[in-house]
Coordinates of all heavy atoms in Angstrom, one line a residue:
N1 N 223.6 236.1 61.6 CA 222.3 236.7 61.2 C 221.4 235.8 60.4 O 220.7 236.3 59.5 CB 222.6 238.0 60.4 CG 223.0 239.1 61.4 OD1 223.1 239.0 62.6 ND2 223.3 240.3 60.8
C2 N 221.5 234.5 60.6 CA 220.7 233.5 59.9 C 219.6 233.0 60.8 O 219.9 232.6 62.0 CB 221.5 232.3 59.4 SG 222.7 232.8 58.1
Y3 N 218.4 233.1 60.4 CA 217.2 232.8 61.2 C 216.3 231.8 60.6 O 216.0 231.9 59.4 CB 216.5 234.1 61.6 CG 217.4 235.2 62.1 CD1 217.9 236.2 61.3 CD2 217.7 235.2 63.4 CE1 218.7 237.2 61.7 CE2 218.6 236.2 63.9 CZ 219.1 237.2 63.1 OH 219.9 238.2 63.5
R4 N 215.8 230.9 61.4 CA 214.8 229.9 60.9 C 213.4 230.6 60.9 O 213.0 231.1 61.9 CB 214.8 228.7 61.8 CG 214.0 227.5 61.2 CD 214.3 226.3 62.1 NE 213.8 226.4 63.4 CZ 212.6 226.0 63.8 NH1 211.7 225.4 63.0 NH2 212.2 226.1 65.1
M5 N 212.8 230.6 59.8 CA 211.6 231.4 59.6 C 210.5 230.6 58.9 O 210.8 229.7 58.2 CB 211.9 232.7 58.9 CG 213.1 233.5 59.4 SD 213.2 235.2 58.9 CE 212.0 235.9 60.0
R6 N 209.3 231.1 59.1 CA 208.1 230.5 58.4 C 207.4 231.5 57.5 O 207.3 232.7 57.9 CB 207.1 230.0 59.4 CG 205.9 229.3 58.8 CD 204.9 228.9 59.9 NE 204.4 230.1 60.7 CZ 204.7 230.2 62.0 NH1 205.4 229.4 62.7 NH2 204.3 231.3 62.6
V7 N 207.0 231.1 56.3 CA 206.3 232.0 55.4 C 204.8 232.0 55.9 O 204.1 231.0 55.8 CB 206.3 231.5 54.0 CG1 205.5 232.4 53.1 CG2 207.8 231.4 53.5
D8 N 204.4 233.2 56.4 CA 203.0 233.3 56.9 C 202.1 233.9 55.9 O 200.9 233.7 56.0 CB 203.1 234.2 58.2 CG 203.6 233.4 59.4 OD1 203.5 232.1 59.4 OD2 204.1 234.0 60.4
R9 N 202.6 234.7 55.0 CA 201.8 235.3 53.9 C 202.6 235.4 52.7 O 203.9 235.5 52.7 CB 201.3 236.7 54.3 CG 200.2 236.7 55.4 CD 199.8 238.1 55.7 NE 198.9 238.2 56.9 CZ 198.5 239.4 57.4 NH1 198.8 240.5 56.9 NH2 197.7 239.3 58.5
A10 N 202.0 235.5 51.5 CA 202.6 235.7 50.3 C 201.7 236.4 49.3 O 200.5 236.0 49.2 CB 203.1 234.4 49.7
S11 N 202.2 237.4 48.6 CA 201.3 238.1 47.7 C 202.2 238.5 46.5 O 203.4 238.7 46.6 CB 200.7 239.4 48.3 OG 201.7 240.3 48.7
D12 N 201.6 238.5 45.3 CA 202.3 238.7 44.0 C 202.0 240.0 43.4 O 200.8 240.5 43.4 CB 202.0 237.6 43.0 CG 202.5 236.3 43.4 OD1 203.5 236.3 44.2 OD2 202.0 235.2 43.0
S13 N 203.0 240.7 42.8 CA 202.8 241.8 41.9 C 203.3 241.3 40.6 O 203.6 240.1 40.4 CB 203.6 243.0 42.4 OG 205.0 242.7 42.5
R14 N 203.5 242.2 39.7 CA 203.9 241.8 38.3 C 205.3 241.1 38.3 O 205.4 240.1 37.6 CB 203.9 243.0 37.4 CG 202.6 243.6 37.0 CD 202.7 244.9 36.2 NE 203.4 245.9 37.0 CZ 203.9 247.0 36.5 NH1 203.8 247.3 35.2 NH2 204.5 247.9 37.2
F15 N 206.2 241.6 39.0 CA 207.6 241.2 38.9 C 208.2 240.5 40.1 O 209.4 240.1 40.1 CB 208.5 242.3 38.4 CG 208.0 243.0 37.2 CD1 207.6 244.3 37.2 CD2 207.9 242.3 36.0 CE1 207.1 245.0 36.1 CE2 207.4 242.9 34.8 CZ 207.0 244.3 34.9
E16 N 207.5 240.5 41.2 CA 208.0 239.9 42.4 C 207.0 239.4 43.4 O 205.8 239.7 43.2 CB 208.8 241.0 43.2 CG 208.0 242.1 43.7 CD 208.8 243.3 44.3 OE1 210.1 243.2 44.1 OE2 208.3 244.1 44.9
R17 N 207.4 238.5 44.3 CA 206.5 238.0 45.3 C 207.0 238.7 46.7 O 208.1 238.6 47.0 CB 206.6 236.5 45.4 CG 205.8 235.9 46.6 CD 205.6 234.4 46.5 NE 204.7 234.1 45.3 CZ 204.3 232.9 45.0 NH1 204.7 231.9 45.6 NH2 203.5 232.8 43.9
T18 N 206.0 239.2 47.4 CA 206.3 239.8 48.7 C 205.9 238.7 49.8 O 204.7 238.3 49.8 CB 205.5 241.1 49.0 OG1 206.0 242.0 48.0 CG2 205.8 241.6 50.4
V19 N 206.8 238.4 50.6 CA 206.6 237.3 51.6 C 206.7 237.9 53.0 O 207.6 238.7 53.3 CB 207.7 236.2 51.4 CG1 207.5 235.1 52.5 CG2 207.5 235.6 50.0
L20 N 205.8 237.5 53.9 CA 205.8 237.8 55.3 C 206.4 236.7 56.1 O 205.9 235.6 56.1 CB 204.4 238.2 55.8 CG 204.3 238.9 57.1 CD1 204.9 240.3 57.0 CD2 202.9 239.0 57.6
L21 N 207.5 236.9 56.8 CA 208.3 235.9 57.4 C 208.2 236.0 59.0 O 208.5 237.1 59.5 CB 209.8 236.0 57.0 CG 210.1 235.7 55.6 CD1 211.5 236.1 55.3 CD2 209.9 234.3 55.2
G22 N 207.9 234.9 59.6 CA 207.8 234.9 61.1 C 209.0 234.2 61.7 O 209.4 233.2 61.2
F23 N 209.6 234.8 62.7 CA 210.7 234.1 63.4 C 210.3 232.9 64.2 O 209.5 233.1 65.1 CB 211.4 235.2 64.3 CG 212.1 236.3 63.6 CD1 211.4 237.5 63.3 CD2 213.5 236.2 63.3 CE1 212.1 238.5 62.7 CE2 214.1 237.2 62.6 CZ 213.4 238.4 62.3
L24 N 210.8 231.8 63.9 CA 210.4 230.5 64.6 C 211.1 230.4 65.9 O 210.5 229.7 66.8 CB 210.6 229.3 63.7 CG 209.7 229.2 62.5 CD1 210.1 228.0 61.6 CD2 208.3 229.0 62.9
D25 N 212.2 230.9 66.1 CA 213.0 230.7 67.3 C 213.2 232.1 68.1 O 214.2 232.2 68.8 CB 214.4 230.1 67.0 CG 214.3 228.8 66.3 OD1 213.5 228.0 66.7 OD2 214.9 228.7 65.2
R26 N 212.2 233.0 68.0 CA 212.4 234.3 68.6 C 212.3 234.2 70.1 O 211.6 233.3 70.7 CB 211.3 235.2 68.1 CG 209.9 234.9 68.5 CD 208.9 235.9 67.9 NE 209.1 237.2 68.2 CZ 208.7 237.8 69.4 NH1 208.0 237.1 70.2 NH2 209.0 239.1 69.6
D27 N 213.0 235.1 70.8 CA 213.1 235.1 72.3 C 211.8 235.9 72.7 O 211.7 237.1 72.4 CB 214.3 235.8 72.7 CG 214.5 235.8 74.2 OD1 213.5 235.7 75.0 OD2 215.7 235.8 74.7
E28 N 210.9 235.3 73.5 CA 209.7 236.0 73.8 C 209.7 236.6 75.2 O 208.7 237.1 75.7 CB 208.5 234.9 73.8 CG 208.3 234.3 72.5 CD 207.1 233.5 72.4 OE1 206.0 234.0 72.7 OE2 207.2 232.3 72.1
R29 N 210.9 236.7 75.9 CA 210.9 237.2 77.2 C 210.4 238.6 77.4 O 209.8 239.0 78.3 CB 212.3 237.0 77.8 CG 212.6 235.5 78.2 CD 214.1 235.4 78.6 NE 215.0 235.7 77.5 CZ 216.3 235.6 77.7 NH1 216.9 235.4 78.9 NH2 217.1 235.9 76.7

């Protein structure tokens, strides 16, 4: 369950950063 991913977005709140991750090796069929 380990996936190579890219950070496509990042936004901050007071205590954490929310990151949007895209799958780089996803199966597109």
Side-chain angles (χ1 to χ4, degrees):
N1 286 358
C2 296
Y3 308 97
R4 191 169 66 95
M5 312 197 78
R6 180 185 60 245
V7 177
D8 285 337
R9 291 181 185 173
S11 59
D12 289 337
S13 61
R14 289 174 297 168
F15 306 116
E16 64 186 12
R17 174 166 293 182
T18 299
V19 176
L20 193 65
L21 298 168
F23 291 88
L24 288 175
D25 304 310
R26 65 182 304 275
D27 187 332
E28 300 188 58
R29 286 174 293 179

